[in-house]
Amino acid sequence: MTVRRRMRGGTAPTISDVAREAGVSPMTVSRVINGKGNVRDSTREAVNAAIVALNYAPNSAARSLAGAGQTRIGMLYSNPSAGFLSEFLLGSLEQAARSDVQIIVQQCEAGDHELEVARHMVERGIDGILLPPPMCETASVLDFLRDNGVPAVSVATAQPRDDALAIGIDDFTAAAAMTRHIMALGHRRIGFIKGDPHLSASARRLEGHCAALEEAGIAVDPALIVEGLFTYRSGLDAAEQLLELADPPSAIFASNDDMAAATVAVAHRRGIDVPGDLTVCGFDDTVLATAIWPELTTIRQPIADMAKTAIEMLVAAARAQDAPPAERHRRLDHDLIRRQSDAAPRRRPRVIASSADGIRANG
C-alpha cells in the first residue's frame, strides 16, 4: 500500500481518499469506521492502515449516530412547486414507515447553503440522502456525497450521473405523447412553456415537444416557446406573453401543472374559455391538476412512487456490502391523463372580402 501522508493542496483527507488508499469503496470505509459487521478482517486492516497513513479523522458524532439501528435518510429540497413537494413527501414518509427509516428534511437555498446543509447532515451520520429537483443535479452536493461515501438518489433527473443512484421517467417520450395528443385534437399552433433552464428534465420535455411537431410536419415556431421556472408566477408571465401574440396559440402545453394552472387563470381573466377557445395541458398530475376548473389534462409523473423507490434504493445501498447495486438508474412509467382542459379547436367563421357583396363569412 502506497502511503500518502499529505493530501494535495494541504486539504484534509476525505473518506474517498481513504477508500482509494485501501483499495475499497467509500461505503466499506464507512462500515469500518462505524463498526458495522460483515467486513473481512483483511479489508478492515487495510482501511485502518489507510486511516492512519492519511491521518484521517472521522467525526465522532457521526460515528455515534451511525451506529444506531435505524437507517437515517436526509432529504434536501428547494422545489418551487408545492404540489410536487407535497406528493414527494407523502411518498417518502409512507415508505419510510415501511422500511424503518428516519427521514430528516432540510430546506436549502440556492448557492453555497445547499453544500453546507449536506455537510452538516453527513457530520450527523446520515446513511443516505434524497435529492428531489432541482437539488437532483447540484454537482457540488453530489461530488461531496460521493467523496464522503454517502449514497444519494437523484430524483426526476433526465441525465443521471454514473456515480449516483437515480430515479425518473422518460421526459422526452412523455412530452412527445402530450404534443401528439394535442395535435390529434386538431391543434396546429401550440404554445409551450419551458421549465427551469438548469434542469435536464426541462430540456428533454422541450425536445420531446419539438420532435413531435417535426414528426407531424409542423415547423417549430420560436415565438410559441417561452421561458418558465416551474413556478405559478412564471406561468402567469409566460401565458400572458403567449396570449398577447398577434396570432396566439389555440393550445398551450406547460412543463408542469403549476404553470398550466397559471395559464388557465390568465385565460379566465382575459375572458378566454378553456377548453372552448384554448386547450391547456400540464405535466406531473399533482393535486393542483384537480383543484382548479377545468381540471387539467396532464402527464402523470408517479411522484409518490418515485419517492418510495428512492427510499428503497437508499436503504439497499446503506445496508449493502461492497457489491454495487444491480440497477443504479431506475425508470418508472408515465401516463397521459385526460380531463376537461382540452378540446378540439373551435371553428370560427372565416372572413373573406368580396367586391360584389362587401364582406361575407365563409364557414
Side-chain angles (χ1 to χ4, degrees):
M1 181 174 62
T2 303
V3 176
R4 296 189 299 261
R5 294 181 180 275
R6 183 176 298 175
M7 305 306 298
R8 287 177 296 178
T11 59
T14 68
I15 198 170
S16 288
D17 296 323
V18 175
R20 282 192 293 271
E21 187 77 17
V24 298
S25 72
M27 186 57 67
T28 298
V29 176
S30 177
R31 293 191 193 97
V32 172
I33 291 171
N34 295 317
K36 295 183 178 180
N38 298 324
V39 178
R40 292 191 301 270
D41 289 341
S42 59
T43 300
R44 192 179 302 277
E45 290 173 3
V47 170
N48 287 329
I51 289 173
V52 171
L54 297 176
N55 196 27
Y56 175 70
N59 183 278
S60 59
R63 291 180 59 181
S64 174
L65 287 169
Q70 189 178 50
T71 302
R72 304 171 73 248
I73 289 175
M75 187 179 98
L76 306 185
Y77 78 92
S78 60
N79 198 300
S81 170
F84 186 102
L85 182 61
S86 175
E87 296 258 351
F88 190 80
L89 277 172
L90 287 174
S92 299
L93 293 173
E94 183 178 337
Q95 187 60 41
R98 293 176 181 171
S99 304
D100 190 28
V101 167
Q102 178 187 5
I103 295 184
I104 301 171
V105 181
Q106 180 66 56
Q107 183 177 12
C108 293
E109 301 171 2
D112 294 337
H113 181 248
E114 55 209 10
L115 184 56
E116 177 186 333
V117 172
R119 182 177 290 109
H120 180 63
M121 282 190 166
V122 170
E123 289 174 350
R124 293 173 64 188
I126 213 76
D127 293 301
I129 290 185
L130 287 173
L131 298 173
M135 299 296 300
C136 60
E137 294 176 355
T138 305
S140 59
V141 171
L142 287 165
D143 290 345
F144 173 76
L145 296 176
R146 176 202 60 206
D147 291 344
N148 284 275
V150 178
V153 176
S154 292
V155 179
T157 175
Q159 292 181 335
R161 289 173 37 150
D162 292 338
D163 59 358
L165 304 172
I167 179 75
I169 67 168
D170 188 336
D171 293 276
F172 178 97
T173 301
M178 179 59 82
T179 301
R180 292 190 193 102
H181 168 70
I182 296 171
M183 291 189 296
L185 294 173
H187 297 277
R188 292 297 178 267
R189 192 160 175 79
I190 304 170
F192 186 85
I193 303 178
K194 297 188 289 185
D196 187 333
H198 299 103
L199 290 179
S200 60
S202 300
R204 292 297 285 164
R205 291 174 195 179
L206 174 60
E207 290 167 5
H209 168 71
C210 293
L213 291 176
E214 293 170 351
E215 175 187 279
I218 299 175
V220 176
D221 185 348
L224 293 176
I225 299 174
V226 297
E227 295 288 346
L229 294 170
F230 285 139
T231 64
Y232 187 87
R233 175 72 256 181
S234 69
L236 293 175
D237 296 337
E240 290 282 5
Q241 184 177 339
L242 287 170
L243 295 176
E244 284 176 358
L245 292 172
D247 184 12
S250 62
I252 295 177
F253 176 18
S255 291
N256 78 343
D257 291 340
D258 292 61
M259 298 189 298
T263 300
V264 172
V266 170
H268 288 337
R269 185 177 63 78
R270 287 173 166 259
I272 299 173
D273 179 64
V274 177
D277 297 318
L278 178 69
T279 280
V280 179
C281 298
F283 201 109
D284 283 342
D285 196 27
T286 61
V287 65
L288 185 58
T290 54
I292 64 170
W293 181 257
E295 295 183 357
L296 288 172
T297 292
T298 187
I299 292 292
R300 175 176 290 165
Q301 180 171 211
I303 300 169
D305 288 342
M306 287 196 296
K308 294 174 185 177
T309 303
I311 292 283
E312 292 175 346
M313 294 171 75
L314 275 183
V315 170
R319 296 175 181 172
Q321 297 307 308
D322 212 23
E327 190 176 9
R328 297 187 65 82
H329 302 156
R330 298 279 300 276
R331 178 174 286 178
L332 301 187
D333 293 333
H334 62 271
D335 295 293
L336 194 159
I337 307 300
R338 189 176 184 189
R339 297 195 178 97
Q340 293 83 28
S341 67
D342 68 18
R346 180 174 291 171
R347 289 180 61 85
R348 299 183 181 281
R350 187 159 53 93
V351 177
I352 301 175
S354 170
S355 58
D357 303 328
I359 296 179
R360 60 186 175 86
N362 181 10

